[in-house]
Amino acid sequence: MKSRKLIQQLFKEGKSFSHFPFRIIYLSIENHTTTLQAGFTVSTRNFKKSVDRNRIKRLMRESYRLQKNNLQTSLERNHKNLAVFFIYQGNKLPVSEEVFEKIGGALQRLQKIFD
């Protein structure tokens, strides 16, 4: 997700839920070319070193990339567009399996919301 306007709209009007250690903010968007857009962030307050923040974001993006297909086909079938933002709120460095499991659970919950 690169559009600053879309990100501001997402944080202003979007709905959210928590799937610890993630907070997921989502918004159904109209008149957009892509079906599914995602953004990822990690708090500087919990992780002072950029190396740690970037590693967590890399894990999040990879887990999302591997598991987004079901949600994307569901959105295409229902002719909906979705913008999602994943915020990591934990205070310790996660293991890749944990991130994979939690992102998968969050994506399943989003799929239930939009089915």
Side-chain angles (χ1 to χ4, degrees):
M1 187 177 322
K2 294 184 179 183
S3 169
R4 185 175 299 242
K5 212 181 249 190
L6 180 59
I7 293 170
Q8 287 175 346
Q9 182 184 6
L10 179 65
F11 278 94
K12 187 176 177 184
E13 301 170 13
K15 297 177 181 161
S16 66
F17 63 90
S18 220
H19 192 79
F20 190 79
F22 296 105
R23 178 148 195 81
I24 294 91
I25 302 172
Y26 64 94
L27 179 66
S28 182
I29 49 178
E30 302 297 323
N31 302 328
H32 221 276
T33 56
T34 56
T35 307
L36 186 58
Q37 288 189 341
F40 305 90
T41 190
V42 180
S43 171
T44 309
R45 182 176 34 163
N46 294 338
F47 296 96
K48 304 291 185 216
K49 296 180 181 177
S50 62
V51 175
D52 294 337
R53 291 193 304 273
N54 291 337
R55 170 142 177 83
I56 295 169
K57 285 189 278 189
R58 223 176 11 256
L59 290 172
M60 290 165 61
R61 283 192 299 263
E62 182 64 11
S63 297
Y64 170 78
R65 182 187 70 82
L66 292 172
Q67 300 181 68
K68 70 178 180 180
N69 294 330
N70 290 339
L71 177 60
Q72 195 164 17
T73 54
S74 174
L75 290 170
E76 287 171 356
R77 192 175 39 231
N78 295 330
H79 304 292
K80 293 183 180 177
N81 299 327
L82 182 65
V84 185
F85 215 87
F86 293 88
I87 303 170
Y88 185 78
Q89 293 184 320
N91 55 8
K92 63 181 179 96
L93 263 143
V95 185
S96 60
E97 291 82 20
E98 177 189 359
V99 174
F100 188 84
E101 178 187 322
K102 297 295 183 172
I103 292 278
L107 290 173
Q108 286 177 351
R109 190 163 170 187
L110 280 170
Q111 188 173 354
K112 286 180 185 175
I113 291 170
F114 286 96
D115 264 350

